[in-house]
Amino acid sequence: MFGWRKTPDSSSRFGQLALTHLDSLYRIAHRLVGNPVGAEDLLQETYIRAWASFHQLHTDNHCRAWLTKILYNTWHNQLKQKQNESGWFALNDNFTSTPVPSPEDELVAQTYSEEVERALQRLAPEMREIIILADIEGFKCREISEITGCPIGTVAARLSRGRCFLHKKLSRFAQSRGYT
Amino acid sequence: MTGDRETVMDCSRALDNLPLLLSGEVDGATAAALHAHLNECPECHHQLSGQQEVQHILRTYARRESVPLDVQQAVTARVSELCSTRRQQFPAALSRGAAVLALLALAIVLWFPRDQGQRRFAGPSLLQVTVEDHRKTLQGQHDFHVMGPSARQVFQYFNANPALPRPLPIRPAEGPRTRLIGGRSCTLLGVKSAYMVYSHKGHLVSLSVIPDRSLDLSGLRSLQRHEQRYYTGWYQNYNALFWRTPMSTNTLISDLPIGDLMAFANLMGRPLHPR
């Protein structure tokens, strides 16, 4: 029961592992939440939970999927809480300010396509989450099944339907970029 | 088509299996059946190339930003903080004993009937703070900033020590949870009360605890109408009043909330008397 013993070794191991995947986790958080302030909060909450259940991570190779699963569950818990306490969150949403884009943001904005982002936004949320995990973050279907708790068949079917939808929406974009 | 379920492949099943084929997660028999089907079915073959195309477009043209520097710093600070709060190793037998004790304590807590009037924020213990606590906070020896036992004493303390650092900072690494950053006891509406200041998402939020009172905030001009309704409901549920204050993190804690609270008290016709 009290398996969560933290030792100096586990502290340094957690510090190293957790920060290795920061970029990937931030991208997923940003896409799930939709704003940088919320993404930061989600990240911090994820790390708090990850530290509390660090003993459950047995192999370091599995760390990214494990952290992503925690982030995904945290996000869905927050969504449920948000629905239950809509008044409180609505008020706090007023607190979020529009961030000033950094030079890094501007550089990123030059390389990604708004059209692709718009097409992604049109996907149903359950399909979008899986497409993001598979095609942007490079997770395998089996890992996505573990992260989201969906059967692998459901993951593959949603992925297939999501890609089919995007293929139709992005046909003109694909032609303009030389895809057949 | 004939054969067992593993090797029979119609278009619908093939379509659902394409992502598994692309990520190399199908077994040999299914892969062979899929390839056989794809060779015969131009429509499914077209779907396969379409999926590969979408994969490539997303990997090339979807937004892939790095974590911003300020977020990176905040998260790194949080992780360091988490790692520094490690627990000591206990022998397994001791852990099991502690578990049994914790279960017993939980059973006792659940067994005893609770006073329905005491729900949350019953804690005068949180408010037993002194000027000494305040001094320690300013010296960085406390985790949160404590205002002191009364606003008057804190004001006197500040006035007597102009060299004290001001304004009181909110640490950026305080994280997503609402944190107590200050509190004091006071008499509000003739009732011994607690006035506390919280931060939430880096913004200041004030909280006043007034036991066993019903309250209508519709006359409080500093709140918008939907906020008045919301906070009135919150108060009635938790015997506490919670509202945001238009403060930046650079504002002195000892300024605005007390003015707001005094305005509230005056509005209710019961002046505020700091203890």
Side-chain angles (χ1 to χ4, degrees), chain B:
Chain B
M1 284 186 205
T2 57
D4 62 19
R5 194 176 176 279
E6 284 302 313
T7 52
V8 170
M9 192 62 67
D10 57 14
C11 289
S12 165
R13 191 154 170 248
L15 206 59
D16 284 351
N17 275 298
L18 287 182
L20 295 168
L21 182 72
L22 286 172
S23 57
E25 292 177 279
V26 281
D27 58 61
T30 313
L34 257 175
H35 283 300
H37 179 82
L38 289 168
N39 285 335
E40 290 170 3
C41 180
E43 177 56 29
C44 286
H45 196 270
H46 175 70
Q47 290 289 344
L48 177 68
S49 6
Q51 291 208 12
Q52 284 174 318
E53 200 173 273
V54 168
Q55 265 190 320
H56 192 265
I57 288 174
L58 289 178
R59 279 176 193 162
T60 314
Y61 295 105
R63 196 179 67 226
R64 289 180 65 85
E65 78 271 50
S66 298
V67 58
L69 190 61
D70 57 333
V71 177
Q72 191 180 357
Q73 286 169 342
V75 173
T76 308
R78 164 63 74 187
V79 169
S80 307
E81 193 180 318
L82 288 171
C83 291
S84 66
T85 57
R86 67 176 185 267
R87 290 161 195 278
Q88 289 184 341
Q89 267 191 306
F90 287 104
L94 197 59
S95 297
R96 277 194 291 277
V100 171
L101 282 176
L103 283 173
L104 274 174
L106 185 67
I108 289 167
V109 167
L110 291 174
W111 177 260
F112 275 88
R114 277 179 294 176
D115 180 1
Q116 295 300 311
Q118 297 278 325
R119 284 187 239 184
R120 294 186 188 182
F121 308 116
S125 59
L126 274 178
L127 303 169
Q128 299 299 317
V129 291
T130 62
V131 170
E132 181 62 13
D133 288 319
H134 190 249
R135 187 185 63 76
K136 283 184 182 173
T137 301
L138 291 173
Q139 291 173 349
Q141 295 173 15
H142 274 197
D143 285 336
F144 53 83
H145 305 294
V146 181
M147 287 177 65
S150 78
R152 183 177 298 167
Q153 277 178 280
V154 173
F155 293 156
Q156 285 170 351
Y157 186 64
F158 266 117
N159 293 338
N161 300 279
L164 284 176
R166 324 176 174 211
L168 302 179
I170 306 286
R171 289 186 302 157
E174 278 188 331
R177 291 179 174 171
T178 302
R179 293 294 183 95
L180 174 65
I181 54 176
R184 70 177 174 86
S185 302
C186 64
T187 303
L188 184 62
L189 309 183
V191 177
K192 189 182 175 191
S193 307
Y195 173 58
M196 298 157 85
V197 179
Y198 282 74
S199 76
H200 183 84
K201 294 186 174 182
H203 295 263
L204 296 185
V205 174
S206 59
L207 170 68
S208 171
V209 183
I210 315 163
D212 301 326
R213 290 272 166 158
S214 61
L215 191 65
D216 176 15
L217 298 175
S218 55
L220 197 62
R221 278 176 297 174
S222 66
L223 298 179
Q224 293 177 8
R225 189 164 297 171
H226 72 279
E227 292 173 317
Q228 291 164 0
R229 277 202 303 272
Y230 174 72
Y231 289 126
T232 300
W234 204 90
Y235 172 80
Q236 284 165 355
N237 282 332
Y238 298 106
N239 292 329
L241 166 66
F242 203 33
W243 79 94
R244 70 186 166 101
T245 53
M247 296 167 69
S248 75
T249 49
N250 292 327
T251 312
L252 264 177
I253 290 174
S254 48
D255 288 343
L256 283 174
I258 286 167
D260 209 1
L261 192 66
M262 283 181 157
F264 162 70
N266 290 335
L267 184 87
M268 303 301 289
R270 305 280 189 91
L272 177 66
H273 302 296
R275 194 178 64 186

Side-chain angles (χ1 to χ4, degrees), chain A residues 56-175:
Chain A
Q56 291 171 1
L57 178 69
H58 298 300
T59 56
D60 293 359
N61 294 339
H62 193 56
C63 183
R64 190 166 80 111
W66 176 73
L67 283 169
T68 307
K69 181 177 182 174
I70 294 172
L71 184 137
Y72 183 89
N73 288 337
T74 308
W75 165 240
H76 280 269
N77 288 341
Q78 284 183 0
L79 272 185
K80 278 183 208 160
Q81 202 179 359
K82 192 171 181 174
Q83 282 159 1
N84 293 340
E85 302 175 19
S86 51
W88 164 236
F89 273 83
L91 286 170
N92 275 282
D93 287 344
N94 297 336
F95 289 149
T96 58
S97 56
T98 309
V100 179
S102 67
E104 289 85 358
D105 292 337
E106 286 173 4
L107 190 66
V108 167
Q110 286 165 12
T111 52
Y112 76 83
S113 160
E114 280 295 339
E115 198 172 337
V116 173
E117 292 299 322
R118 274 199 301 274
L120 273 172
Q121 286 305 313
R122 284 186 199 148
L123 278 168
E126 65 275 11
M127 273 189 212
R128 186 168 60 238
E129 286 169 3
I130 287 174
I131 289 268
I132 288 166
L133 292 173
D135 290 344
I136 299 177
E137 296 304 326
F139 284 105
K140 298 218 168 215
C141 294
R142 198 166 300 281
E143 290 175 311
I144 297 172
S145 168
E146 282 172 23
I147 290 168
T148 58
C150 290
I152 190 165
T154 309
V155 169
R158 283 182 184 170
L159 201 48
S160 192
R161 268 176 265 149
R163 283 175 184 160
C164 187
F165 175 88
L166 288 175
H167 191 234
K168 285 177 193 158
K169 293 288 170 199
L170 292 171
S171 59
R172 226 180 273 171
F173 176 85
Q175 278 173 4

